[in-house]
Amino acid sequence: MAKHKLRPRRDAMVPSPYQEARDELFQQIMQCGVIGCHPEDQKEWFDATMVYLSDRYPELKAPEFTELRTLGERFAQPPKRQTQETAAV
């Protein structure tokens, strides 16, 4: 019988604070029904949510919060419909 080689255990990857904040933002967008809201309502929601996230993740810098907001706003956009021409290509 062949000996089984023991593989070294890999430590579980711990997400960075940025990744945690991003995931939390996406979860909140899905739970709060922000997708498809009026743009003014979305802006108000994002303003309040970014203040909340900045309190929760003080280790993140301003450029990271700007990037998070951009990602969140893109995520909150309704899906684009395909036209007949793009669907046929």
Side-chain angles (χ1 to χ4, degrees), residues 1-7:
M1 224 196 244
K3 285 187 174 180
H4 289 68
K5 291 185 179 181
L6 294 177
R7 294 183 187 171

Side-chain angles (χ1 to χ4, degrees), residues 3-32:
K3 285 187 174 180
H4 289 68
K5 291 185 179 181
L6 294 177
R7 294 183 187 171
R9 291 186 71 183
R10 293 185 182 178
D11 293 332
M13 297 231 358
V14 177
S16 70
Y18 177 82
Q19 292 169 329
E20 289 180 6
R22 180 201 60 210
D23 294 347
E24 186 173 342
L25 176 62
F26 289 170
Q27 288 175 348
Q28 291 298 320
I29 290 170
M30 290 186 293
Q31 290 176 354
C32 294

Side-chain angles (χ1 to χ4, degrees), residues 39-51:
E40 290 178 19
D41 294 334
Q42 278 187 352
K43 182 188 177 315
E44 184 179 324
W45 185 89
F46 274 105
D47 290 343
T49 302
M50 296 314 291
V51 169

